[in-house]
Amino acid sequence: MKTVALLLAIASLSSTVYAVEGGQDVNWQDYPYLVEVHGCTGTVLGGNKVLLAGHCFWGTTPQQTLSLANGEAINGLSMKTLYDTDLPENEIIDVAIWTIEKNIPTSNIAFVADLNAPETKVELGDEISFIGFGRDNHIPKLGRAINTVTWMINDLSESARFDYSGTAHSVPGDSGAPILNIYNNIIGVNTSGGSTTSSGGERLRKAKDWLLQNINAWHSPTELMFTGDNTLDIQSLHVNPTNLAERQNNGTLTTGDVSVTGGTCLTDTIEPFGTCTLEMTAGQYEGKVILDDGNEITINRGKKPTPPIPPTPPTPKDGGSGGGSIGWLGLLGLLGCALRRKN
């Protein structure tokens, strides 16, 4: 009976997705790493991965189309989830990683908290925020809410769920919305709501190893516009410690009109969930920093050198040998013919 009750509770959450009500309206252009899909909110990680709630796709296929802040639509390819009612009760976590057909254009990102660090553990009384797509007359509308953690099960082996309350709560439209700590780092995903005071989410800490296995890439903006020098912070969501020294040394780190001149991503070993710096110099034309195979930062997209204008062929001068005019050699020939006729 316990299992049946749990499944019924999960089904009740799955039937409706949720979004922010009573929060602050925000401009989607300021959060290009958020996507709207299938009545849910997703967060771009590692270029072509999207973090969201597992129940958003329960009973559907992952070949859905997501909407971006720039108005573009991109198709999904595959999905991995811990939301599986065949799992033991203490292993069901309402999260998913969705792989998209190409990198999603983002000029800024939200880092995932260091889920291995003790200080990132969710505690009662913590202030958190979440950002999601509410629905006004069935039209998604992005909003942000600040809440306080009011309930949780401290034994991580038992449950990943925690609840939070405040002046804003979830309404249909935003399951999967990122839950952020006071440093604006992602610690969970929003999964439930509906009351006028509280909402609930899943702690990512319990799913940290699973997340790394299904992302295993650098996490960074994918589109930047600048010339000259720039320093960028990026995050490793790889399973193992890594850096970018090998790619720099073998010449595969950059192409086009950009170079990486230094930074801790080259000199230090970066642990999973760790961050490092890339020091770059860009010219005025397009270039790429290739962090992983297929995972790139495009600099100054579309800016190409103007091709040279081909020279115009010279126009023959009057009296030249072209264009039907008679040159001096031709005149001498005519004169010779005339003299022969006289003789």
Side-chain angles (χ1 to χ4, degrees):
M1 292 298 292
K2 185 177 179 182
T3 300
V4 172
L6 177 66
L7 297 182
L8 289 175
I10 291 173
S12 68
L13 295 178
S14 306
S15 61
T16 307
V17 290
Y18 297 93
V20 178
E21 181 175 275
Q24 174 190 7
D25 292 345
V26 296
N27 186 345
W28 195 356
Q29 304 301 320
D30 296 332
Y31 301 89
Y33 54 85
L34 296 180
V35 300
E36 194 277 331
V37 56
H38 199 56
C40 287
T41 301
T43 306
V44 178
L45 302 176
N48 71 334
K49 302 291 193 300
V50 174
L51 171 70
L52 72 170
H55 74 255
C56 291
F57 284 100
W58 196 250
T60 66
T61 65
Q63 285 76 34
Q64 303 285 332
T65 300
L66 59 84
S67 301
L68 309 182
N70 64 4
E72 188 179 357
I74 299 181
N75 295 324
L77 293 178
S78 61
M79 185 184 66
K80 299 288 187 180
T81 182
L82 287 173
Y83 182 80
D84 185 348
T85 54
D86 291 331
L87 291 172
E89 295 175 17
N90 64 340
E91 294 182 18
I92 297 176
I93 305 176
D94 195 357
V95 298
I97 291 292
W98 191 27
T99 300
I100 309 306
E101 64 182 359
K102 64 178 182 178
N103 277 359
I104 296 172
T106 57
S107 56
N108 57 62
I109 59 172
F111 289 125
V112 180
D114 183 351
L115 301 176
N116 288 316
E119 61 269 21
T120 65
K121 183 178 178 181
V122 180
E123 301 286 358
L124 287 175
D126 284 354
E127 180 182 290
I128 60 93
S129 61
F130 61 106
I131 309 171
F133 289 98
R135 289 184 171 269
D136 183 9
N137 296 324
H138 305 288
I139 299 173
K141 184 179 181 182
L142 195 62
R144 178 175 182 267
I146 298 176
N147 279 195
T148 301
V149 176
T150 55
W151 176 88
M152 59 184 294
I153 297 177
N154 289 313
D155 183 357
L156 289 177
S157 66
E158 184 175 353
S159 174
R161 182 177 171 77
F162 68 107
D163 290 350
Y164 33 91
S165 64
T167 58
H169 63 94
S170 294
V171 293
D174 149 270
S175 280
I179 301 172
L180 310 169
N181 61 17
I182 59 173
Y183 305 107
N184 288 320
N185 293 329
I186 303 171
I187 58 170
V189 294
N190 190 62
T191 58
S192 64
S195 75
T196 59
T197 58
S198 67
S199 305
E202 300 288 314
R203 290 179 287 188
L204 292 181
R205 191 179 182 89
K206 185 175 181 182
K208 59 187 177 66
D209 294 334
W210 179 87
L211 287 173
L212 295 176
Q213 291 164 5
N214 287 284
I215 299 174
N216 201 31
W218 289 101
H219 176 41
S220 75
T222 59
E223 301 279 338
L224 295 175
M225 300 289 287
F226 71 93
T227 57
D229 297 332
N230 193 8
T231 299
L232 178 68
D233 292 332
I234 67 174
Q235 182 175 34
S236 174
L237 297 180
H238 294 91
V239 173
N240 298 313
T242 189
N243 61 28
L244 289 168
E246 182 177 354
R247 296 192 77 93
Q248 175 78 324
N249 293 335
N250 65 21
T252 61
L253 183 56
T254 60
T255 62
D257 201 10
V258 64
S259 60
V260 173
T261 58
T264 57
C265 297
L266 302 181
T267 59
D268 298 349
T269 299
I270 313 305
E271 298 293 328
F273 300 110
T275 61
C276 60
T277 58
L278 275 180
E279 297 171 7
M280 302 174 289
T281 298
Q284 58 182 315
Y285 304 124
E286 182 177 307
K288 294 180 184 292
V289 179
I290 306 170
L291 303 174
D292 302 287
D293 292 345
N295 183 14
E296 306 168 346
I297 307 171
T298 301
I299 315 296
N300 301 325
R301 180 180 293 278
K303 292 193 174 183
K304 308 288 185 182
T306 303
I309 300 174
T312 304
T315 303
K317 297 180 180 179
D318 290 344
S321 59
S325 61
I326 301 176
W328 64 272
L329 289 175
L331 291 173
L332 286 176
L334 290 175
L335 179 61
C337 291
L339 290 174
R340 281 196 298 271
R341 286 177 184 174
K342 270 189 169 184
N343 295 332

